Amino acid sequence: MTEPVPSSPDQPSQIQALPPGTSLRIRRPGGETWEGWLLPRESSSDPEVVHVKLRSGYNVGLRLVPGSEVEVRPGPLWGRTGEPGEAQPGGELPRAGGGPPITLLTTGGTIASRVDYESGGVKPVRDVSGIAGSYPGLLEGGPVAVRSVLDMLSEDIGPREWELLAQEVSQSFHAGARGVVVSHGTDTLAYTAAALQFQLPFLPGPVVLVGAQRSIDRPSSDGVSNLLGATRVAREADLGEVVVVMHAGLGDGPLAIHRATRVRKMHATRRDAFRSLNESPLGGLEGTSGPIRLRPDAKPRSSEPMEIRTGFSPDAALAWVHPGLSLARLERYTQGVRGVVLAATGMGHVPVPLLEWIQRSVREGMFVGVTTQCLEGMVDPYVYVRGRELQRSGATFLGDLSPETAYVKLSWLLHRTSDPELLSRRMAENLAGEISPRREVHEIPESGAP
Amino acid sequence: MKVGLEVHQQLSVGKLFCSCSGELAEEVTGEFVRRLYATQGETGATDPAARAQASRNLRYRYQTTPNSCLVEADEEPPHSLNPDALAVALTLAEMLGSEVVDQLWVMRKTVVDGSNTSGFQRTALVAIGGKITVKGRTVGISSICLEEDACRKIGEGDAETTYRLDRLGIPLLEIATEPDIRSGTEAHDVAEAIGNLLRATHRVKRGIGSIREDLNVSADGGSRVEIKGVQELRLISRYVDHEVARQDELLRIRDALRERGARVPDGPSVDLSPLLRETSSRLVGDVLRHGGTVRGICLPGFGGLLGESKVPGERLGREMADHARARGVKGILHSDELPGYGVSAEETARIREALGARPAEDAFVLAASRDVHHADEALHAVAERARAALQEVPEETRDPLPDGRTRFSRPLPGRHRMYPETDVPAIPIPGTLREEVRRQLPEAPQVVQERLESTHHLNPEMARQILRADMVEAFEALIRKGLPVTLVARVLTQDLPQIESEAKRPLPEGNAPLVHWLEPALRAVEAGRFAKEGLSLVLRRQLLHGEDVETALKAVGLAPAPGDDLAQIVEEVLEANAPLIRDRGSSALSPLMGDVMARVRGKVDGRTVAALLKERLDRRLASSGPEEVPGA
Ligand SMILES: [Zn+2]
């Protein structure tokens, strides 16, 4: 039981102790009357300022100076029963269309989130029906089994979750899903996509990762068309790969399909943040209607038995080379790791003090891979002297493999082998579309489907 | 009657949540197409109006401009709130005696008509309370809010609306009054007084569209109706008076309907297409030929009350048509206007029979649409409106029309469409900031008006005009520079408004640039280079072409040129009009004056011309004898 609340509390702390949603009337000395409901206090805010939702719907913060009168009004708490919110939309989901079933695995993130008064930001919605309710037409193409696998911000998702997701994907296909959609926060979505692809070499259908750059609590969220497009790809496309489906441009029309091992988030905020590096997107579609276009080299649905190769080593690291990077700092950073991917400058260069360290480390059994921090283009040891020196020191040049995919691949391979030579060979060869010997002549695509 | 105002004033301090300029742009740099979806509010509920709008599957095309960035495109979160805009809001709060919040919360007000790329308008409540006194009456202030302006609407089609991002994000200060206003004229006066306060801050935009008023009007016994977005001050009293008359008329019709026992049946609408296959009505025929349908409903007891009204243009039939149109049909036909519109008397009789409508006593309404659902939904809306007609004046939002009437646009939005803007943390408003604002309060407009009248001997109307145009500083600066009051007052109150409307280009913004621009031309008049009548010509030229006075004078032909001697022109005119002078003697002066002025207007002032012309005319008349009578 809570303490009985005085009907006219006069201390800010007494007000803050009232249950959020309490109906209040506040009058500071000589001032106006403010009527509304108490809001939960933000943990970091000034304790003398109470937060009130006024009857007009506006929120305000009011300082309770000495002499303020506060009256607690009878009536239901705001946001709990009828007043002033309206009835919740019915929990019943619309009937699904007649197409084949797919599975939607949710991990949290922007695709389902709502305001969180305690922190002031947005936080994920936990209930599954809340997700389906936000996406009109989600079930039009056929049944969607929704499974809430994780409830995490994407920045917290790592190797353990990659394994769990691979198992969930595998189980979904075994249970009869025609395709699997994974909703994921966008920050690390590309890492998870690559990790799933390495773990699941033979897929009977598409595994589509999708997210939203504008949260679903906004009428302008890109999440709706991204998710609807992703479910279409999962259900309809003849595709046996892990892909990412997101906006191809600023508009809500065209969506791009990116290969998991090539995609990268290239903008902090734009809807078309996701781009394929060193190749055109794998395909595209015009949202909710029209054909799904795929590149000829897209892998079709596999008839091989599904195989799942989980396991990531914690002994892999990714290091960004920059002017002034000291040997000591790099040594500290790579303490105890068995392999490191360098995001080197240009075609794959590092400052001279690093060369000796690389030589020594490789001799001691550590793997050193070289990628380019330019992101677009390949590394090449032969053009400049430093490249040749770096190669002579024992580093492995990784072609047009992106630094992040290289890191995921290294972590995955380190779990499977400790033979440095085999590791080096595997890292440099194409396993899942992550490395290509040729890059086509076209401008670096800003965005958009092929 | 009860009237409340909401004044929305654009501020000239850039944009509210980004670093873009607030100047509108004609240059379009790109475009993208979006949709908007209905979202759940903070309590999990959805605003019904938002859901209805979102279900229409509309597309919105947005044009980007040089003064829009990723924030306006909804591709980047809002930056921190513009402190200059907040300062203006706090200034107004001080001037109105309002109570300011200690922490400002930016809210999202759901607006899913596409006019905001985000699907909501960002708005924050700055203060409540306060008052303004106009002509001895005090009107309460209910709130002061700081919000962002919406996109400019460029075009509208059936499934797509085009907007431009240039206006989106310009700060708007919204000042709402209590419903204390008691007449249309008073509404006008209060709006003007609030406008003057706003202009006194010197941080507001000027020109058409920079200040917009919403009028909340309820007649006695009527309901709150919001007339949204009135741009012209002079029309405010008309909208208010007309709205009161409209509500009174609707109440009179209600009483008549009740007396007759009118009612609105619940049943479905009836398909009348077979009866109208051969109709000569173009509207109906066209729809039927395209596989459409005509449906109808009967309204027992409504006969004669749909088309008749004591207030011109305000019929119940029109209200119904507006509601039907909002559901996607072009219009309706009702029994009070039939036979007509190509529907024959015989067809009308058959419709009556099919709907079971008694002659004269009952009314019926038809809707034709190529889409069967639309016709039925439109009639559903008509029946709803008819039901409301038996109860009261519906609370709703109406759009102002240029002729002083209004048109239904949508029901009043619910109170539950507010959602906190999670991308902007709450902003503390410390006491020190308020003190700073208090120290820099602008002079009250009444004080300035009195000074203009007493110190400079301006008449009240001129003083008011200079005040309203926010040109007091420019006026006083030009006087300090030694220019005569009459000349300066003339150019500010007569020439500038004319130039601005003719040139369709804004004058230099701000008082210092204005002074800098005006001074050379005024000095040239003072030096006798040209007459004050030529000012608007010269200044317009300068405005349009960015020329200095000398170049402009040459370009408009006011620079002195050989042969432009006044005496010579006068003699030429007298010579050319010899017969007229013979006929009318000294009364020929006035037409002759016109001829001379036509040639020297702007170069020589009228009084000089009149004096010289009179002298020469008298001389000529004196030297001619009576024998020179025509026909002799
Ligand atoms: Zn901007």
Side-chain angles (χ1 to χ4, degrees):
Chain A
M1 279 305 291
T2 49
E3 289 289 301
V5 172
S7 65
S8 50
D10 56 357
Q11 294 298 316
S13 59
Q14 285 179 303
I15 313 278
Q16 307 287 19
L18 293 168
T22 300
S23 181
L24 292 177
R25 189 181 277 168
I26 298 174
R27 209 179 137 92
R28 275 103 52 99
E32 302 284 334
T33 303
W34 304 79
E35 278 193 68
W37 297 269
L38 184 69
L39 289 172
R41 206 172 75 83
E42 248 180 73
S43 36
S44 61
S45 68
D46 186 335
E48 286 193 357
V49 173
V50 288
H51 298 158
V52 181
K53 171 164 285 290
L54 301 180
R55 292 190 173 273
S56 56
Y58 281 99
N59 296 6
V60 294
L62 299 173
R63 182 174 297 282
L64 291 183
V65 293
S68 299
E69 297 162 29
V70 179
E71 190 188 336
V72 173
R73 313 263 300 149
L77 297 182
W78 172 72
R80 304 291 159 85
T81 49
E83 182 49 32
E86 287 152 18
Q88 308 269 334
E92 217 170 287
L93 297 178
R95 254 233 305 259
I102 58 167
T103 299
L104 167 61
L105 305 177
T106 70
T107 65
T110 330
I111 204 137
S113 49
R114 193 180 292 166
V115 60
D116 173 24
Y117 272 111
E118 266 125 69
S119 72
V122 287
K123 81 177 180 194
V125 163
R126 281 147 214 281
D127 55 314
V128 167
S129 66
I131 295 163
S134 290
Y135 296 90
L138 178 66
L139 301 176
E140 260 165 34
V144 179
V146 182
R147 275 183 56 76
S148 176
V149 178
L150 295 168
D151 183 7
M152 290 170 84
L153 296 172
S154 89
E155 53 268 36
D156 297 326
I157 288 178
R160 198 168 349 152
E161 288 75 29
W162 298 342
E163 292 177 28
L164 174 65
L165 278 169
Q167 280 151 2
E168 287 284 346
V169 166
S170 163
Q171 278 164 25
S172 300
F173 279 119
H174 282 304
R178 179 87 175 136
V180 177
V181 175
V182 181
S183 77
H184 196 292
T186 55
D187 276 14
T188 64
L189 185 149
Y191 291 85
T192 303
L196 285 176
Q197 185 62 77
F198 287 119
Q199 294 175 93
L200 299 163
F202 308 110
L203 282 168
V207 175
V208 188
L209 277 83
V210 67
Q213 287 284 82
R214 293 288 92 74
S215 62
I216 191 64
D217 63 348
R218 308 160 70 100
S220 61
S221 175
D222 55 329
V224 178
S225 67
N226 287 345
L227 184 68
L228 296 181
T231 55
R232 275 200 62 206
V233 171
R235 186 176 281 124
E236 298 168 29
D238 183 12
L239 190 62
E241 297 194 38
V242 180
V243 292
V244 170
V245 169
M246 292 287 285
H247 269 53
L250 299 192
D252 280 330
L255 300 171
I257 305 173
H258 301 280
R259 184 166 264 163
T261 51
R262 288 295 201 176
V263 69
R264 191 174 192 274
K265 185 178 185 179
M266 298 294 279
H267 198 280
T269 62
R270 281 171 63 127
R271 287 165 172 75
D272 57 357
F274 285 82
R275 318 259 172 93
S276 288
L277 296 184
N278 288 312
E279 64 175 31
S280 309
L282 191 63
L285 67 157
E286 274 301 321
T288 47
S289 60
I292 295 171
R293 289 164 282 118
L294 288 174
R295 261 180 13 211
D297 62 318
K299 266 171 83 177
R301 291 172 185 263
S302 165
S303 49
E304 309 248 347
M306 263 194 83
E307 220 178 279
I308 176 162
R309 303 171 179 173
T310 54
F312 292 87
S313 163
D315 301 331
L318 171 59
W320 193 271
V321 174
H322 58 83
L325 174 62
S326 71
L327 180 57
R329 177 160 302 145
L330 189 59
E331 269 182 325
R332 264 201 309 280
Y333 178 63
T334 53
Q335 196 98 59
V337 306
R338 291 162 54 217
V340 61
V341 171
L342 297 176
T345 57
M347 280 190 270
H349 306 134
V350 298
V352 78
L354 268 53
L355 287 174
E356 202 196 306
W357 171 79
I358 291 170
Q359 194 167 25
R360 192 176 68 232
S361 305
V362 171
R363 210 183 300 129
E364 286 166 6
M366 185 159 105
F367 171 82
V368 177
V370 180
T371 62
T372 174
Q373 57 184 247
C374 300
L375 306 178
E376 296 277 4
M378 54 158 219
V379 289
D380 188 320
Y382 305 116
V383 179
Y384 294 106
V385 177
R386 185 54 49 81
R388 289 170 189 246
E389 290 168 351
L390 184 53
Q391 196 186 34
R392 270 201 302 274
S393 69
T396 306
F397 278 66
L398 299 175
D400 63 0
L401 184 57
S402 79
E404 291 89 346
T405 301
Y407 162 75
V408 173
K409 185 178 179 182
L410 176 62
S411 169
W412 181 72
L413 283 174
L414 277 175
H415 182 80
R416 323 197 117 60
T417 178
S418 36
D419 173 358
E421 203 179 312
L422 179 64
L423 185 64
S424 182
R425 205 166 62 232
R426 285 269 180 275
M427 277 301 289
E429 72 187 20
N430 177 35
L431 301 182
E434 76 278 19
I435 296 182
S436 168
R438 62 188 289 273
R439 282 148 298 282
E440 281 175 6
V441 182
H442 52 59
E443 286 178 54
I444 292 172
E446 274 214 310
S447 60
Chain B
M1 72 169 91
K2 280 187 186 171
V3 182
L5 280 180
E6 274 175 33
V7 177
H8 299 90
Q9 169 74 60
Q10 287 181 339
L11 306 184
S12 58
V13 294
K15 291 201 175 179
L16 193 52
F17 290 107
C18 66
S19 311
C20 288
S21 144
E23 298 303 316
L24 299 188
E26 293 310 321
E27 189 192 342
V28 172
T29 53
E31 59 174 37
F32 53 88
V33 178
R34 293 255 179 82
R35 296 193 44 192
L36 292 174
Y37 304 89
T39 53
Q40 297 176 6
E42 50 193 340
T43 60
T46 310
D47 187 59
R51 192 170 275 274
Q53 178 81 23
S55 71
R56 292 177 62 192
N57 270 345
L58 299 175
R59 290 185 309 166
Y60 307 107
R61 184 173 295 273
Y62 296 103
Q63 301 176 336
T64 58
T65 61
N67 78 329
S68 63
C69 65
L70 288 183
V71 173
E72 287 92 334
D74 191 43
E75 291 289 351
E76 189 172 288
H79 305 175
S80 50
L81 185 127
N82 183 330
D84 294 339
L86 181 57
V88 180
L90 294 175
T91 302
L92 259 290
E94 283 298 332
M95 292 171 93
L96 291 165
S98 309
E99 186 176 334
V100 176
V101 302
D102 295 282
Q103 210 181 48
L104 194 74
W105 282 62
V106 180
M107 306 295 291
R108 302 171 173 175
K109 191 193 279 181
T110 307
V111 181
V112 286
D113 64 359
S115 58
N116 294 67
T117 46
S118 53
F120 48 74
Q121 179 191 34
R122 296 189 183 94
T123 173
L125 182 100
V126 178
I128 64 167
K131 60 181 191 298
I132 186 165
T133 303
V134 182
K135 294 186 178 162
R137 277 214 57 207
T138 296
V139 171
I141 301 297
S142 57
S143 64
I144 299 176
C145 294
L146 192 53
E147 43 190 47
E148 52 180 6
D149 207 345
C151 291
R152 260 206 295 169
K153 192 189 272 188
I154 301 296
E156 190 164 18
D158 281 345
E160 187 177 291
T161 308
T162 302
Y163 290 104
R164 191 170 296 168
L165 295 184
D166 56 352
R167 202 180 69 179
L168 181 62
I170 291 179
L172 281 180
L173 196 58
E174 184 206 79
I175 299 175
T177 75
E178 295 288 345
D180 295 343
I181 297 167
R182 291 292 172 265
S183 74
T185 319
E186 195 171 287
H188 166 276
D189 294 346
V190 171
E192 185 174 33
I194 292 176
N196 285 341
L197 280 185
L198 285 160
R199 279 183 291 274
T201 64
H202 303 310
R203 311 300 294 271
V204 303
K205 283 171 80 89
R206 295 189 330 200
I208 193 82
S210 60
I211 184 162
R212 308 192 291 270
E213 341 269 346
D214 295 351
L215 315 172
N216 288 298
V217 183
S218 32
D220 295 333
S223 307
R224 189 166 85 86
V225 165
E226 185 174 282
I227 301 168
K228 236 178 158 46
V230 177
Q231 299 203 358
E232 286 184 79
L233 192 64
R234 61 184 178 83
L235 287 178
I236 287 180
S237 61
R238 257 172 87 186
Y239 285 122
V240 169
D241 294 341
H242 189 87
E243 177 57 23
V244 170
R246 187 186 73 92
Q247 294 194 15
D248 286 344
E249 181 62 9
L250 288 174
L251 293 171
R252 189 190 66 81
I253 291 173
R254 176 194 66 183
D255 295 343
L257 287 169
R258 283 180 174 176
E259 202 162 297
R260 289 188 191 183
R263 62 195 174 82
V264 182
D266 274 331
S269 62
V270 177
D271 186 5
L272 301 169
S273 314
L275 302 181
L276 290 162
R277 290 263 172 254
E278 309 295 322
T279 186
S280 50
S281 158
R282 183 126 44 98
L283 171 85
V284 175
D286 210 45
V287 164
L288 290 179
R289 258 192 309 284
H290 286 89
T293 177
V294 185
R295 304 185 69 87
I297 53 169
C298 175
L299 297 172
F302 279 73
L305 289 172
L306 301 187
E308 150 218 297
S309 169
K310 293 197 169 68
V311 180
E314 296 298 351
R315 298 173 304 274
L316 187 53
R318 176 170 173 258
E319 303 273 332
M320 291 174 169
D322 288 344
H323 282 258
R325 259 194 293 273
R327 305 291 175 93
V329 301
K330 292 252 176 337
I332 56 167
L333 290 170
H334 62 75
S335 48
D336 288 359
E337 51 192 7
L338 299 178
Y341 296 99
V343 178
S344 67
E346 195 196 324
E347 285 164 340
T348 306
R350 265 188 276 154
I351 294 167
R352 243 181 216 291
E353 198 187 332
L355 293 171
R358 296 163 296 176
E361 220 174 319
D362 297 347
F364 62 82
V365 178
L366 311 182
S369 169
R370 294 188 193 179
D371 183 323
V372 181
H373 294 292
H374 282 178
D376 193 54
E377 278 171 29
L379 289 172
H380 190 74
V382 167
E384 288 278 291
R385 184 63 191 81
R387 233 166 256 136
L390 298 169
Q391 303 300 320
E392 56 195 357
V393 179
E395 290 199 342
E396 62 197 19
T397 302
R398 298 181 70 85
D399 292 331
L401 300 177
D403 63 1
R405 294 190 302 160
T406 57
R407 185 169 62 197
F408 167 79
S409 67
R410 55 179 178 269
L412 284 184
R415 280 186 293 153
H416 318 310
R417 50 179 195 143
M418 289 285 207
Y419 189 89
E421 172 51 276
T422 49
D423 297 339
V424 181
I427 302 155
I429 302 181
T432 49
L433 177 58
R434 267 180 263 175
E435 266 157 40
E436 198 182 310
V437 165
R438 227 169 277 150
R439 272 201 304 276
Q440 296 174 7
L441 277 192
E443 250 179 319
Q446 304 95 292
V447 176
V448 178
Q449 164 115 16
E450 276 158 28
R451 192 178 63 231
L452 291 178
E453 288 174 28
S454 60
T455 313
H456 302 299
H457 309 291
L458 287 182
N459 67 43
E461 180 48 37
M462 270 192 168
R464 231 166 60 120
Q465 239 179 302
I466 290 176
L467 196 61
R468 200 165 58 200
D470 187 17
M471 289 179 179
V472 175
E473 263 181 47
F475 175 81
E476 292 184 327
L478 289 166
I479 302 301
R480 274 197 303 276
K481 285 171 181 285
L483 290 160
V485 170
T486 46
L487 180 64
V488 175
R490 178 203 154 98
V491 79
L492 295 185
T493 60
Q494 289 179 31
D495 295 324
L496 291 191
Q498 191 192 344
I499 291 167
E500 196 166 24
S501 74
E502 283 174 7
K504 297 193 167 40
R505 188 169 297 186
L507 301 173
E509 185 111 13
N511 279 295
L514 193 64
V515 168
H516 184 74
W517 176 66
L518 283 175
E519 191 182 351
L522 295 178
R523 291 233 178 271
V525 172
E526 269 297 280
R529 298 288 316 285
F530 66 104
K532 60 182 183 296
E533 285 80 4
L535 266 173
S536 71
L537 209 57
V538 173
L539 288 171
R540 184 170 61 189
R541 176 81 200 180
Q542 286 188 266
L543 182 67
L544 288 174
H545 296 87
E547 293 169 350
D548 62 22
V549 183
E550 290 308 320
T551 319
L553 276 173
K554 282 196 197 95
V556 300
L558 285 184
D564 260 7
D565 178 49
L566 179 63
Q568 191 188 328
I569 292 169
V570 167
E571 284 306 325
E572 280 171 22
V573 168
L574 290 171
E575 198 54 47
N577 288 285
L580 179 81
I581 297 167
R582 273 202 306 276
D583 278 359
R584 300 178 54 180
S586 57
S587 61
L589 180 67
S590 152
L592 291 174
M593 180 75 192
D595 283 10
V596 178
M597 283 311 289
R599 290 178 57 179
V600 304
R601 191 177 308 278
K603 298 177 214 178
V604 189
D605 87 294
R607 234 171 312 164
T608 313
V609 173
L612 183 65
L613 182 62
K614 183 154 191 318
E615 187 219 20
R616 296 296 169 95
L617 179 64
D618 289 348
R619 202 191 296 173
R620 198 170 263 252
L621 286 170
S623 70
S624 59
E627 66 275 16
E628 287 181 56
V629 169

